[in-house]
Amino acid sequence: MPPSPSPSPPRPARRTPENARKKAYKEQTDVTNGRRRREAQLLQLRKSRREDTLSKRRRDDASSPSTEPESDIGPASPESDRPSSSDPPPLACATDADSNKLLGIINGLKSENISLQLEATIKIRKILSVDGNSLAEEVITADVVARLVELLSSKKNLRGPQLQVEAAWALTNITAGTSEHTEVVTNAGAVPKLVKLLESPRSNVREQAMWALGNIAAESQRCRELVIDHGGLGQLLSQFNEHAKVSNLRMATWTLSNLCFGKLPSKSQTKAVLQILQQLLNSIDEKILSDTCWAVSYLCNHGTDEIQMVIESQICCRLVKLLMHSSPKVVTPVILALANVSAAADCQVQFLIDSGILQCLLKLLTRNYQKCIRNQACMTVSNICAGTAAQIQAIIDAKMVPLLIQLSQHGESDIKKEAIWAIANATSGGSPDQIRSLVGDGCIIALCNALVLSDADLLYACLNGLESILKVGEMEKMKDEAGTNPYAVIMEECGGLDKLENLQGFNNDAIFEKTIKLLESYWVEEGSEYEAPKDPSPDDT
């Protein structure tokens, strides 16, 4: 006998939290790998962002911050301090002669004469400014780092700030290297001294110190905690003031985003950061705005508590508006942040809907945006479809279902899968009336076409969706004089039954059992039992 109709089908879980979709599976089904795959997809953009934000930044020799910048835009410097044709070129290939020169430079660095110290520090900085310089490793292993850290505290005459900048610049480029190089710098006690430099009255000194701290923060959670434990977060937040130069604000925002990559130690610190980020989201500078959005995205990745704090700070409303920003460098972190919010609690997802996110998502999916942006937009829709009946209705009212059907058939591979997830979630959690509407838009065919996929998680979600549809079909069957389930008929006509029967050979117990349940419930006469195809015996061949 077909199962009795259920007007309130179980809702599918969203796919980012730790318990994503566990309840949708039987106990014997291993969902850990599938959940991790989904989490990995959601975080793919954030991880790739390391090439821009969380990767180290090496400062080349194109400009020097050794004297106070005269321009508000970028770390500009006077022409007199830029390398000239008479300057000796950086040592790019280690020879015996070069090693001897390096020894002389190190002796100058250890001198008590500030002029010799400054000259030697500049030469070391130039060596370290060339990526791949074979002498860089010798510099790092020659006990130079400890001396550079000492020079961060230099206050001798008017050349002290210039020496501080050069020493910080050299340390910046060392920390732009390997983890081992960064560890040498932190073990030498550089972090508290760099944090102290954030109190300098010279903006170029503060900027270079922030750069070094940003590289250190990009290394690991331990390094981020080291910066915060030495007061780096508080000093960094103090850089955001009405007198700050644009170049300093850019550097401070980038460094702050690196610190936000890890979970902040306390709610009070998170609130203080959010107050600054809220102001920065109104910046007209694209670099500042982009890094601000990345910082918010990282915070939203830490859990529902941080997401709720983001919502309470009114940042989400601004993020929704920024979805329509002209630059993909801004839209990318914004959609990633909102995708994280869409995977949170129902009330937090509802805030996004109330902020008008659906119309923005519709535009992202129908216009010529980058694939990564459209993919995250579609994932956000699929997470909303895993919500309440009211949230599913909002998707229907926004006329998004026909678009999802189209994307499930003709979209690029990743986007196609997200569209199928959205359809499966909506049909699994929708009310009977909503399922009828979804069927009218063509969801049965879309789900049946997906039964050939190899993704076990997605297959199971599609089977759940089809089961919900067939249950509603039983309600329609009672109204039909012929006593036929109209939705089962549609499945047969579009080839869905054949695909369903083929799933009996799928190597997954949960999918096999769900398949047999559907076949026995809707396509086997009462009193009979569905028999799975048997492997041919040797006698049959």
Side-chain angles (χ1 to χ4, degrees):
M1 287 288 292
S4 58
S6 173
S8 301
R11 287 170 48 201
R14 295 190 176 93
R15 290 172 287 150
T16 299
E18 183 61 25
N19 63 348
R21 290 199 312 287
K22 280 186 178 179
K23 295 181 181 178
Y25 283 74
K26 296 186 177 180
E27 291 183 0
Q28 68 268 29
T29 306
D30 180 12
V31 300
T32 302
N33 291 335
R35 184 180 68 251
R36 287 174 179 169
R37 282 197 301 272
R38 298 304 303 158
E39 290 173 344
Q41 282 186 335
L42 183 61
L43 301 181
Q44 183 177 8
L45 280 180
R46 175 173 64 78
K47 290 179 179 178
S48 67
R49 172 61 175 169
R50 296 180 70 89
E51 305 217 343
D52 278 330
T53 297
L54 287 192
S55 64
K56 314 294 188 62
R57 289 182 177 178
R58 182 184 304 278
R59 189 166 203 159
D60 59 25
D61 222 21
S63 63
S64 169
S66 296
T67 57
E68 189 72 12
E70 296 179 351
S71 169
D72 285 357
I73 306 299
S77 61
E79 290 291 335
S80 60
D81 194 59
R82 294 177 183 170
S84 65
S85 58
S86 61
D87 287 333
L91 304 173
C93 182
T95 64
D96 290 340
D98 292 335
S99 296
N100 290 333
K101 289 181 181 179
L102 179 59
L103 182 60
I105 293 172
I106 293 174
N107 289 334
L109 189 70
K110 296 180 178 180
S111 169
E112 293 301 319
N113 184 300
I114 190 170
S115 296
L116 294 178
Q117 292 173 1
L118 180 58
E119 180 182 357
T121 304
I122 291 174
K123 289 180 179 178
I124 287 179
R125 179 259 292 171
K126 289 182 177 181
I127 292 174
L128 296 169
S129 295
V130 179
D131 192 14
N133 192 326
S134 57
L135 274 181
E137 189 67 32
E138 291 190 39
V139 168
I140 295 168
T141 57
D143 198 26
V144 168
V145 173
R147 181 56 173 164
L148 291 173
V149 171
E150 289 179 11
L151 296 179
L152 292 175
S153 302
S154 177
K155 296 181 180 179
K156 297 179 181 180
N157 61 54
L158 296 177
R159 308 195 79 178
Q162 185 179 3
L163 185 56
Q164 288 175 331
V165 168
E166 292 293 347
W169 189 348
L171 292 172
T172 296
N173 287 347
I174 293 175
T175 57
T178 65
S179 301
E180 290 76 14
H181 293 171
T182 303
E183 186 175 3
V184 170
V185 173
T186 56
N187 288 344
V191 170
K193 291 182 179 293
L194 288 168
V195 171
K196 183 67 177 177
L197 287 183
L198 298 184
E199 301 176 4
S200 171
R202 305 293 292 270
S203 65
N204 60 330
V205 174
R206 298 195 303 273
E207 183 177 338
Q208 194 60 61
M210 285 188 284
W211 196 329
L213 289 170
N215 277 351
I216 293 171
E219 183 57 52
S220 66
Q221 181 62 17
R222 184 191 70 82
C223 287
R224 288 186 284 275
E225 291 173 354
L226 183 64
V227 173
I228 293 173
D229 290 344
H230 284 286
L233 180 59
Q235 286 292 344
L236 186 63
L237 295 181
S238 69
Q239 305 302 309
F240 298 97
N241 57 72
E242 58 184 2
H243 304 295
K245 296 176 178 291
V246 172
S247 61
N248 280 61
L249 289 176
R250 287 175 177 173
M251 189 61 68
T253 307
W254 172 73
T255 303
L256 180 60
S257 72
N258 283 359
L259 288 176
C260 290
F261 190 82
K263 190 176 180 69
L264 298 178
S266 69
K267 287 187 176 181
S268 60
Q269 289 175 322
T270 304
K271 288 182 179 179
V273 168
L274 286 172
Q275 288 178 352
I276 296 297
L277 295 179
Q278 182 186 26
Q279 300 172 24
L280 294 175
L281 283 173
N282 294 311
S283 174
I284 60 174
D285 185 274
E286 184 179 306
K287 292 183 179 179
I288 293 174
L289 188 57
S290 176
D291 282 324
T292 301
C293 293
W294 279 109
V296 176
S297 174
Y298 300 150
L299 290 176
C300 289
N301 188 56
H302 298 323
T304 55
D305 289 342
E306 282 79 3
I307 287 174
Q308 186 59 35
M309 295 170 68
V310 169
I311 290 174
E312 291 173 355
S313 66
Q314 301 300 310
I315 282 179
C316 274
C317 294
R318 178 61 177 156
L319 291 180
V320 170
K321 293 180 180 178
L322 287 173
L323 283 175
M324 297 294 99
H325 195 277
S326 59
S327 172
K329 292 182 179 180
V330 174
V331 178
T332 297
V334 169
I335 187 57
L336 192 57
L338 295 174
N340 278 313
V341 177
S342 74
D346 287 338
C347 60
Q348 295 169 329
V349 176
Q350 188 60 45
F351 188 87
L352 294 183
I353 296 174
D354 294 340
S355 299
I357 192 174
L358 294 182
Q359 291 304 317
C360 294
L361 293 174
L362 189 62
K363 293 177 181 177
L364 291 181
L365 290 170
T366 54
R367 296 180 181 176
N368 190 27
Y369 283 89
Q370 294 177 346
K371 177 185 174 182
C372 60
I373 292 175
R374 289 183 287 116
N375 185 49
Q376 294 297 315
C378 203
M379 176 180 282
T380 303
V381 173
S382 71
N383 278 337
I384 295 174
C385 287
T388 65
Q391 291 167 354
I392 295 174
Q393 189 61 47
I395 295 287
I396 296 173
D397 293 342
K399 309 297 183 185
M400 298 194 76
V401 178
L403 175 60
L404 292 171
I405 300 291
Q406 178 187 354
L407 291 174
S408 74
Q409 303 299 314
H410 307 295
E412 296 161 282
S413 177
D414 292 341
I415 298 173
K416 179 185 292 187
K417 284 189 174 182
E418 291 303 332
I420 296 170
W421 269 111
I423 296 167
N425 286 342
T427 51
S428 297
S431 67
D433 285 341
Q434 290 170 340
I435 288 177
R436 293 184 186 99
S437 174
L438 293 167
V439 169
D441 286 326
C443 284
I444 291 180
I445 297 176
L447 291 176
C448 288
N449 288 341
L451 295 181
V452 298
L453 298 175
S454 59
D455 186 328
D457 294 335
L458 185 50
L459 273 177
Y460 196 88
C462 291
L463 291 174
N464 274 339
L466 288 170
E467 183 178 32
S468 296
I469 290 172
L470 290 169
K471 287 180 179 179
V472 175
E474 289 299 305
M475 300 180 187
E476 301 301 305
K477 176 179 178 180
M478 299 175 184
K479 305 174 186 177
D480 185 11
E481 293 181 359
T484 304
N485 186 325
Y487 300 158
V489 173
I490 296 176
M491 282 190 63
E492 293 180 36
E493 292 175 346
C494 72
L497 179 57
D498 293 335
K499 294 183 177 70
L500 190 63
E501 290 176 335
N502 291 337
L503 282 180
Q504 295 171 96
F506 197 87
N507 188 23
N508 182 287
D509 290 343
I511 290 176
F512 173 78
E513 292 174 11
K514 177 69 74 173
T515 299
I516 294 298
K517 178 183 177 182
L518 292 179
L519 290 171
E520 290 182 345
S521 297
Y522 299 102
W523 282 279
V524 177
E525 294 295 330
E526 182 178 354
S528 62
E529 189 172 306
Y530 192 86
E531 295 185 5
K534 297 179 180 179
D535 293 331
S537 64
D539 296 337
D540 297 331
T541 59

